[in-house]
């Protein structure tokens, strides 16, 4: 052993002693050092993948094309304006080769999406470390300040970094965002968007100002303990309150409640007696299309109906009969901001409906709730709990201010560094897992947390997580020019006396007008250019079914003749299109009508969706046109035929680019379809 | 010198032994019965999302030689390396059924899953299930289909969406009807969707959507039609991987 070392030392000494030998040695070392770089490249991961790729394409019938496209070495996309240096293409060699759909990863082509690789690179959508040249570093960076690859099922969140309005291609993201607004998340958590706006809630939590008039303390207790036991569809979360806490909060809410200003709910005795007829109440419930907004469990236990208003399956156990009567008469008397329209029912109808709803009870719900009269200490404790849990962030509560910045801001939660997160046991250390876990069990991540439990389903969790992951740092740092803003919220409210009438009936709960309102029913912004006055007046008197296939339909609001005339005049005068003149005369002749008929039945085959001749046509998608000549204006029909989406964006009828002369002929034909007169006594109406 | 060589040899052997793969052990619950056939109960031909769990569980039934449901047999589910099952091995319940949830891979396309059960002789009897993963394009197509196409092209009528299929004199083809749809090339379908039925001498009841839908949306619809077609759509022309 020693001899080897001494020999080595000896030879080194002799090398160093001689300048020529020394030069030779340095040269050899230099050559070896120079060889390190190519060798490193040769044994690198990406080179290995590129070799594999070349072997793969060599066997294919389109090898020549693929080989021509292939460029070796470290490949990168550099986009300084969006801050992208992505070397993913070094291994993912076939990303832009449309034919490589059936090869294994990492060589498969990217599925078609609306953006190109040269526009945004890879990491803006997929996250990960773009500059890395090894798989482990690029995909699964474990460094806390870096981002690993985003699991594919959350990739829609990346679209949300620039697109702040709903997109057809991102259903999960849209749904998650809707949930953030609908479940009141944004009432406690501020979410600021890069365009400077702040997300607003779309839910409608009732004010608790007069709660004692509406319901009992026992019901409040049961509701606080578990909202889902009262209504499976409840959006109110479960705060997992102890029995004592629920007792004290209910005591406080009842004590804080103030009586409603003068209530006119007393009904004539005869009308109340009529309430004994449950079938009458049920049919009034159906006729009034209450189910468009309210859900109810049917006999089979399925929940049917809309989710605009609260579920009514057990409403009789909740509300006091006198409150219900007052509410049905005039909901705004109790809650100014309610979406519920004032139906103008007669006293007898109110009694019928109230009787029907009062029978919707669940005797089990309150059977175990026994509350002793509240003490002052309980009420005081209840008040402090209400403040602690931030109840006033959603509900109006007398004497309690709405808390500001009650919960952490979520504007950039999608880039939350992992080192700032305290993970619960069994939760993988990634951001999506943290977010989903937090939403599933909000209090599992530490003691003293107050976030309530929403009982979200798996699909809901995925959607919400996607929406939260879209709130990234990058969405703020990307150039402003890339931001696709939400459509500006309109605050349009109809004016004047007729406007007040419309607010009372809450037309905009279903109809959008001038950019504000629901999407359950047609946009009315240009209704005055579209329909004829007589038809509208008739329709408001008796909203017969324009589209019999629809489940949600316009209810009857029982207006007086004067009110109806006023509303009709208002709609006809105010809601007009700037480009259509309602009074444009109709060009018509028997020849034109005949040409129109031919076009209708042969060239455009409109009968596949519409009915003109009730005996022969069967199309059931668009509205029946048997009386369209007494319903719509000629100028509306003619423009509609040429471009339906210009008059009503998003309407189903395809734009067939019908030329003007053909549109004129079709209009003449359609305007001749008067089906008697639209007086509400037509054949169709009689059938119903 | 020799000593070092010996040590090196030992280390080398150790490394080789450590690297050798252990034979895959048959894990999972112990069966108490052995079936003769596996049949599908539900859960086949679903459309899932990349890297996500399928919306409905997979349910298969094990039958004995007489065709009766057999409780206590073990069913093992398998797919590609990117498919995960929870759980992967299940004992059939009292009605002979085994249920699992499948999570498919990140890549859109068709996945073939296998459910197998050993017979009395220890030989595996298996059943193949096809599941689909819709990528961005296919998902967009699925949604466009729900808005524009399915009202006529889907014969199934529900109270929520009444089908117009029965009202049409010339019946439209359902998109799963692979025998018909697969004969239409991409450009045929593009022409039909964009310019309506008459473009290919078909019924005028199919209107033109070329102005209503943009090019990408038409392509998305075609991608969706190709995904759901049964029998599966095979691209003709260049056959990849076969020289």
């Amino acid at each position: 052993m020693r001899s080897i070392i001494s020999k080595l030392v000896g030879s080194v000494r002799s090398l160093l002693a001689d300048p020529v030998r020394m030069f030779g040695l340095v040269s050899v070392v230099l050559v070896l050092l120079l060889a390190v770089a190519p060798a490193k490249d040769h044994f690198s991961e990406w080179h290995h993948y590129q070799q594999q790729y070349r072997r793969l394409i060599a066997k294919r019938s389109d090898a020549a094309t693929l080989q021509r496209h292939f460029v070796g070495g470290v490949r990168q996309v550099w986009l300084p304006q969006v801050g992208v240096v992505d070397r993913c293409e070094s291994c993912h060699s076939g990303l832009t080769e449309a034919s490589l759909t059936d090869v294994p990863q990492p060589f498969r082509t990217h599925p078609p999406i609306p953006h190109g690789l040269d526009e945004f690179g890879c990491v803006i959508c997929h996250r990960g470390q773009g500059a890395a040249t090894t798989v482990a570093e690029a995909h699964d960076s474990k460094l806390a300040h870096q981002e690993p690859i985003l699991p594919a099922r959350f990739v829609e969140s990346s679209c949300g970094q620039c697109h702040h309005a709903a997109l057809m291609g991102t259903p999960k993201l849209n749904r998650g965002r809707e949930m953030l607004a609908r479940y009141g998340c944004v009432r406690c958590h501020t979410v600021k968007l890069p365009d400077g706006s702040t997300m607003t809630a779309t839910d409608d939590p009732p004010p608790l100002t007069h709660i004692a008039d509406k319901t009992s303390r026992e019901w409040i207790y049961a509701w606080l303990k578990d909202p889902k036991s009262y209504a499976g569809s409840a959006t109110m979360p479960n705060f997992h309150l102890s029995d004592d806490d629920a007792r004290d909060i209910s005591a406080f809410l009842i004590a804080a409640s103030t009586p409603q200003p003068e209530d006119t709910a007393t009904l004539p005795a005869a009308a109340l007696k009529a309430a004994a007829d449950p079938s009458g109440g049920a049919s009034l419930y159906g006729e009034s299309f209450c189910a468009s907004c309210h859900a109810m469990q049917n006999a089979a236990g399925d929940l049917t109906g809309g989710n605009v208003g609260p579920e009514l399956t057990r409403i009789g156990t909740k509300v006091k009969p006198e409150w219900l009567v007052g509410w049905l008469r005039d909901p705004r008397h109790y809650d100014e901001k309610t979406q519920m329209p004032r139906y103008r029912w007669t006293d007898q109808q109110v009694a019928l409906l109230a009787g029907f709803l009062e029978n919707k009870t669940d005797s089990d719900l309150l059977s175990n709730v026994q509350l002793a009269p509240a003490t002052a200490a309980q009420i005081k404790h209840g008040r402090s709990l209400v403040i602690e849990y931030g109840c006033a962030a959603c509900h109006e509560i007398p004497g309690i201010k709405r808390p500001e910045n009650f919960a952490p801001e979520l504007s950039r939660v999608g880039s939350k560094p992992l080192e700032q997160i305290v993970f619960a046991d069994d939760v993988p250390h990634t951001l999506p897992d943290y977010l989903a876990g937090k939403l599933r069990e909000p209090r599992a991540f530490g003691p003293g947390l107050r976030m309530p439990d929403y009982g979200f389903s798996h699909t809901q969790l995925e959607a919400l997580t996607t929406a939260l992951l879209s709130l990234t740092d990058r969405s703020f740092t990307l150039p402003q020019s890339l931001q696709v803003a939400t459509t500006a919220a309109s605050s349009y409210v109809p004016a004047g006396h007729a406007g007040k009438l419309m607010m009372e009936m809450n037309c905009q709960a279903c109809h959008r007008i001038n950019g504000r309102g629901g999407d359950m029913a047609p946009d009315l912004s240009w209704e005055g250019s579209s329909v004829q006055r007589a038809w509208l007046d008739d329709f408001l008197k008796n909203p017969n079914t324009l589209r019999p296939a629809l489940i949600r339909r316009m209810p009857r609001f029982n207006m007086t003749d004067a009110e109806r005339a006023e509303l009709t005049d208002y709609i006809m005068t105010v809601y007009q299109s700037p480009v259509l003149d309602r009074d444009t005369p109709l060009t018509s002749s028997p020849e034109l009508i005949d040409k129109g008929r031919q076009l209708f039945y042969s060239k455009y085959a409109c009968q596949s969706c519409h009915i003109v001749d009730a005996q022969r046509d069967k199309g059931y998608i668009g509205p029946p046109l048997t009386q369209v000549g007494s319903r719509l204006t000629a100028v509306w029909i003619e423009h509609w035929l040429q471009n339906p989406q210009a008059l009503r964006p998003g309407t189903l009828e395809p734009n067939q680019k019908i030329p003007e002369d053909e549109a004129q002929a079709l209009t003449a034909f359609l305007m001749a379809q008067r089906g008697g007169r639209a007086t509400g006594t037509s054949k169709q109406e009689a059938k119903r | 010198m020799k000593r070092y060589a010996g040590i090196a040899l030992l280390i080398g052997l150790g490394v080789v032994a450590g690297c050798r793969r252990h034979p895959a052990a048959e894990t999972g619950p112990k069966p108490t019965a052995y079936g003769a056939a596996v049949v599908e109960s539900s859960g086949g031909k679903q459309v899932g999302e990349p890297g996500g769990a399928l919306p409905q569980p997979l349910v298969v039934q094990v039958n004995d030689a007489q065709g009766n449901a057999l409780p206590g047999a073990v069913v093992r589910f398998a797919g590609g390396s990117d498919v995960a099952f929870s759980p992967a091995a299940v004992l059939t319940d009292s009605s002979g059924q085994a249920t699992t949830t499948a999570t498919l891979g990140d890549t859109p396309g068709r996945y073939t899953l296998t459910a197998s059960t050993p017979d009395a002789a220890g030989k595996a009897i298996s059943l193949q299930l096809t599941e689909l993963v819709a990528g961005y394009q296919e998902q967009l197509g699925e949604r466009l289909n729900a808005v524009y196409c399915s009202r006529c092209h889907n014969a199934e009528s529900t109270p929520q969406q009444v089908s117009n299929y029965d009202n049409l004199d010339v019946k439209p083809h359902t998109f799963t009807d692979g025998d018909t749809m697969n004969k239409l090339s991409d450009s045929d379908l593009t022409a039909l969707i964009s310019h309506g039925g008459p473009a290919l001498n078909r019924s005028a009841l199919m209107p033109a959507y070329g102005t209503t839908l943009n090019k990408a949306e038409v392509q998305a619809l075609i991608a969706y039609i190709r995904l759901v077609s049964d029998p599966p759509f095979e691209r003709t022309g260049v056959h990849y991987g076969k020289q």
Side-chain angles (χ1 to χ4, degrees), chain B residues 127-139:
Chain B
L127 166 79
Q128 305 232 311
L129 296 162
T130 304
E131 306 292 352
L132 310 168
V133 169
Y136 171 81
Q137 232 189 351
E138 291 86 356
Q139 284 183 32

Side-chain angles (χ1 to χ4, degrees), chain A residues 656, chain B residues 191-209:
Chain A
Q656 309 208 56
Chain B
L192 277 172
I193 297 171
S194 308
H195 306 296
L200 289 186
N201 272 332
R202 285 164 184 261
S203 168
L205 292 173
M206 165 76 196
Y209 280 92

Side-chain angles (χ1 to χ4, degrees), chain B residues 141-161:
Chain B
E142 189 180 13
R143 238 152 303 121
L144 290 165
N145 164 60
V147 176
Y148 294 103
C149 318
S150 72
R151 291 172 195 238
C152 292
H153 284 275
N154 182 357
E156 213 173 295
S157 211
T158 61
Q160 281 74 34
Q161 194 170 49

